[in-house]
Amino acid sequence: MSDDSERPVGSDPSVTVLYAQVRDVKPRMSIDEEGYLRAEGWPGAAGKVFLGDVAQAALRALGPHDPPRFTEQPGYDEQRWELKSNANDLTLTITSREYWGFGLFAICFLNKIEISGPLALRARCVHDLVASLGRDPWEASWLRRFEKASGCDSSQHKDAWESLVARAREDMGEEVNQLEDALRALRGADQSAEGVLDAAELALEEAKAALADRNAPAVERALGRASSAIIEADPSTGVRSTERMAQRSTAVPSAQKPEAVDAKHLLDEVPFVDLSEEE
């Protein structure tokens, strides 16, 4: 397993190190022959593992990622392990181990979380982890033992987590502010675009509400709708004029039906040959 003394708790330009209290051992999952994490009941599974609530939330927050692979597989204790996964520019490593009580209960375990990659992406991952978990992961079941095992006091743990959550919220808030500035700049420029701008403003209000609820996916969806509406309303993009031209070209009705062609004279010109008497 990773050496706890390698890096201090918190973030530097390349990596973030955090510790989290495990509360629930589930879900229980399988490990295939190559050491990859698989769903429970995987055909030909070589081992079993209790992933735990923190690791499950961390992998979910990582977004689309490679199948996690165990760099240290569990033995007799299915809750003691180390795994790694990659997602685009991020690399996530989670180490699970007991820090008191001989690992007899779920709350005897902590997870060490290491995330490397761009700081903005690390912050977003941590933000989504905390939101998915629904509790403060730095709150320990046995504080003194937790501090001793991590080599860090409770206030440092709290600051390390909250600073990243705050960074992610600031980044998303800045995106909202930028789109609001763009919306204000377009107001009154084109009366025919006011309805589109109203839709953008509504989407931005939804983004703010989702940000207050720590619902980052909902923030992204709302920002996407607002951005699309603002691009449509901006005359410099030519989106609306292009759409209007396309609508005009496809909406021109056919005023008259094509006249029927009188082809009787063609039939008159076909010679009649009687072949009934030819044997």
Side-chain angles (χ1 to χ4, degrees), residues 53-105:
D53 56 347
V54 173
Q56 182 183 42
L59 291 171
R60 184 182 295 119
L62 191 59
H65 54 269
D66 297 337
R69 188 171 190 176
F70 286 88
T71 51
E72 181 170 325
Q73 295 192 25
Y76 175 78
D77 191 335
E78 295 180 357
Q79 203 176 342
R80 185 180 177 91
W81 44 260
E82 182 179 89
L83 62 73
K84 179 178 291 188
S85 183
N86 298 292
N88 297 321
D89 295 328
L90 292 181
T91 298
L92 171 71
T93 302
I94 307 175
T95 304
S96 178
R97 61 183 175 85
E98 75 278 4
Y99 71 98
W100 68 274
F102 305 102
L104 297 177
F105 310 100

Side-chain angles (χ1 to χ4, degrees), residues 261-272:
V261 177
D262 186 1
K264 291 180 180 179
H265 66 285
L266 297 177
L267 297 176
D268 293 340
E269 295 176 1
V270 178
F272 177 74

Side-chain angles (χ1 to χ4, degrees), residues 143-161:
L143 181 57
R144 289 184 180 178
R145 290 292 182 90
F146 190 86
E147 290 177 335
K148 181 178 180 181
S150 61
C152 181
D153 64 38
S154 60
S155 63
Q156 290 174 294
H157 284 296
K158 185 174 184 290
D159 289 345
W161 283 91

